[in-house]
Amino acid sequence: MKLLCIGRNYAAHAAELQNDLPAKPVVFLKPATAILASDTALHLPAFSQDVQYECELVFRVGQPGRHITEADAMDHLDAVTVGLDFTARDLQAELKQQGLPWELAKAWDGSAALGQWQPLVNVPTWPDLPFALHIDGQLRQTGDPRLTLFSLPYLVAFLSEFFTLQPGDLIFTGTPAGVGPLQSGQTLVGSLCGNEVLRVKVA
Ligand code: MN
């Protein structure tokens, strides 16, 4: 299985990192070893001095497909949760400056936290899926999927032109503004439609 991740999908987040708005989706992948289950600890890696949180809506593929149309896109997804795309921002800045791929900054072990899966039949229809991240009780990020540059059906169609989608594959749909650095001892809580679905402690 694979984690397909979208970058710069919220204009305000692209702006906070001084990035131009993309004309088509910015895509990167993480391996299965990046997954960090909810209620486990994140161990900050020694190779970075600036690991940052990015709270994102994550969708799970239920039905396989390629060359999926936007009209059929939602039929290929079966669950949603809130995830955290942990990013070694210092490494990413070096790689971006050199025009190199982002994997060392983005795809390391534990860099993709996942909350409890919510079957799509049990939650409101996209894009009525507001989400939020609290750190130590303070609101740090709020996400409204209506504000994405690329809609979820468009992303599924776009991704499936390049990658066969297989059951269990995950799509990280990008983070809103408000990203920032992590520190040991913090507790991150992600919520979907006002309900807690994700909890990660920074070791
Ligand atoms: Mn991200």
Side-chain angles (χ1 to χ4, degrees), residues 6 28 54 56 85 106 174-175:
I6 307 301
F28 57 95
E54 296 187 359
E56 313 197 2
D85 166 20
K106 285 279 199 183
T175 196

Side-chain angles (χ1 to χ4, degrees), residues 6 9-10 13 16 25 29 64 81-82 96 101 103 114 119 124-125 135 137 149-150 161 164 167 176 178 192-193 197:
I6 307 301
N9 200 20
Y10 288 83
H13 169 65
E16 74 181 343
L29 275 71
T81 192
V82 169
K96 282 164 68 175
E103 278 83 352
L114 290 173
T125 304
I135 300 182
L149 298 174
F150 303 104
E161 290 299 308
T164 297
L192 178 64
C193 301
V197 294

